[in-house]
Amino acid sequence: MTDDSVTARSEAAPQDVATSLTTGTLARRLGVSPTTLRSWDHRYGIGPAIRPDGRHRRWAPHDVAVLETMCRLTSAGVPPAEAARAARETAAGASGEDREPAGAPEPAPGAASRAAGPLPLGDVRRECRGLARAAVRLDAPAVEQQLATAVDAHGLVVAWQEVMLPTLHAVGRKWASSGDRYVEVEHLLSWHVSTTLRRFAGPAARCGGASAPGPVVLACMPGEQHTLALEALHAGLSQRGLPTRMFGSAVPAEALTAAVDRLGPAAVVLWAQARSTASLALARRVARTRWGVKGARRSPLVVPCGPGWLGRSDPGMTWPPSLKDALDTLEALYTEGR
């Protein structure tokens, strides 16, 4: 780096200093850690234009614009090194420049494959990392776009099991380990996952004639508030043209049994996220429900779903371990008969 370039980055007009941001302020605004900003500066040359001697770094509006582009690209799954190059080129084009900034370091070996993020995601699809970054930044348009893209590209089942669910779990773990710091991230991501699932669900299917199987009743156990997995199942059943009745969270026991008695469903899915809400007594009560004329009375297939039921259901009850297993089990009631 030349002396002139050092001077250019160290000196700034008074108005630039007045409108610049500290690293901490900018990190909070973008939803990334200050360490991430410093790493991007060191590895990819995306650093602050204002570097006062002996004082904290200051990020001018031009620097912020570059980083916002960087965040959007990494949220879309672009490797950081490529995203940095594109962000610099975009900024250079907007300012009329046509070259890399002086002194920009080359990406560190292997940096493109190390998509660092603030959430504990582990070995997951690249889309998960982009979705997590967008959620942490509270970038609702990016979250919505990436969810829709995942469903379009992979289908509802794969998008749920390999993109939405791992990201939701990562956000939940981060929230649990950080107090209430990430509750807004979890709420925003959950809202947009729910919106996406409803958008991709097909139209409500009607039940067949009197001799045809009834609908699939979907209900959370009393006291159970987690509905997203049930919404994913509802969307998948709708896409397959199967009739459903969705009752959502925390359905009281009396309301559930009354609905089963009125509808005569082919199956009743009971979701329990925690063992404390998985009531085997209520599941057995639902399974004993009978309807129809004498000599041809029927009862529903009870399908306990969710981690709360693990090892707790009766032998006659099917516990599907995944969304695809649940969909296949329920569809068989209509295609093969019981």
Side-chain angles (χ1 to χ4, degrees), residues 13 23 117 147 183 212 220 267 269 311 319:
T23 298
L147 288 170
V183 64
C220 287
V269 177
W319 185 82

Side-chain angles (χ1 to χ4, degrees), residues 64-326:
V64 175
V66 173
L67 285 171
E68 287 175 341
T69 301
M70 174 79 170
C71 288
R72 283 196 299 271
L73 292 172
T74 55
S75 292
V78 178
E82 296 178 20
R85 188 177 302 109
R88 290 196 301 266
E89 290 173 354
T90 299
S95 62
E97 299 174 1
D98 57 0
R99 60 183 178 86
E100 293 283 315
E106 292 296 321
S113 63
R114 294 196 296 270
L119 298 178
L121 285 163
D123 185 15
V124 294
R125 282 182 176 270
R126 188 177 69 176
E127 293 96 329
C128 295
R129 300 187 183 282
L131 181 60
R133 292 188 185 100
V136 169
R137 294 202 317 274
L138 305 181
D139 188 345
V143 169
E144 188 172 283
Q145 179 183 8
Q146 290 177 55
L147 288 170
T149 299
V151 178
D152 284 335
H154 306 298
L156 181 66
V157 171
V158 173
W160 167 255
Q161 293 182 173
E162 299 186 18
V163 179
M164 300 179 192
L165 199 55
T167 309
L168 286 164
H169 285 168
V171 172
R173 289 193 297 270
K174 191 69 173 181
W175 177 15
S177 64
S178 305
D180 288 338
R181 285 185 55 203
Y182 283 81
V183 64
E184 75 283 3
V185 177
E186 193 272 343
H187 283 195
L188 180 135
L189 180 59
S190 297
W191 168 260
H192 285 286
V193 167
S194 177
T195 301
T196 300
L197 292 171
R198 296 188 188 192
R199 181 178 298 126
F200 281 90
R206 295 186 178 277
C207 297
S211 61
V216 177
V217 166
L218 305 170
C220 287
M221 295 295 289
E224 181 59 69
Q225 300 292 334
H226 296 82
T227 65
L228 286 180
L230 211 57
E231 292 177 40
L233 180 56
H234 171 263
L237 291 170
S238 298
Q239 286 190 344
R240 297 190 183 196
L242 303 182
T244 63
R245 297 294 185 272
M246 176 64 156
F247 293 109
S249 65
V251 181
E254 294 304 320
L256 175 61
T257 55
V260 171
D261 187 59
R262 290 170 59 189
L263 291 169
V268 179
V269 177
L270 301 175
W271 178 266
Q273 183 77 15
R275 292 180 66 85
S276 59
T277 60
S279 171
L280 188 55
L282 178 56
R284 289 169 175 168
R285 180 179 170 186
V286 172
R288 290 194 298 267
T289 306
R290 299 288 188 275
W291 59 83
V293 298
K294 186 176 181 180
R297 295 177 69 79
R298 294 183 289 180
S299 59
L301 173 68
V302 174
V303 184
C305 287
W309 289 106
L310 184 60
R312 304 196 67 186
S313 59
D314 279 347
M317 299 178 186
T318 302
W319 185 82
S322 69
L323 174 59
K324 184 179 185 305
D325 292 320

